[in-house]
Amino acid sequence: QGDTRSLVGRTELWLESQRPALPAPAVQLVDQIGLQLDALGQQLDGLDEAAPAAREVRKLVGEHLPGLVSTYTSIPRHLRGEASGGATPDQRLTESLGKISGEIDSVTRQLASGAIDNLAIQTRYLDYKYGGALDDAAKVD
């Protein structure tokens, strides 16, 4: 519910509250994801809610991440360290959180690419418009 930025903030708070139920390697990833969500939330200012990137963020942060953690926490503690199908639930959670972290990084980079391109364009324009004045000003500072 609500806009994508508030969803990211609520998910970050919810994820923080889940830390005590998670294994140590997953807690490290949750800390990393928390930092990523902070950065992502800032980038969502002014993003059209109907944009594909906003839909992707809502699905990733509002469905996949909470669903993964909720499924893990529904497993009784004494079974989380037992291997089943080649890996323990602890290992699977950690691996999946790593994938989510990578995807959050990818979305953040996609959103930032427009701003990075705009900055390059503005820099080229100013260099064209004012020539070496920018280089001279940088030397004075």
Side-chain angles (χ1 to χ4, degrees), residues 3-16:
D3 67 1
T4 306
R5 183 174 183 174
S6 64
L7 172 67
V8 168
R10 287 191 313 271
T11 300
E12 183 180 359
L13 292 174
W14 175 84
L15 190 58
E16 181 67 25

Side-chain angles (χ1 to χ4, degrees), residues 4 46-56 58:
T4 306
L47 182 67
D48 180 7
E49 290 294 318
R55 287 194 305 270
E56 169 105 10
R58 281 194 301 275

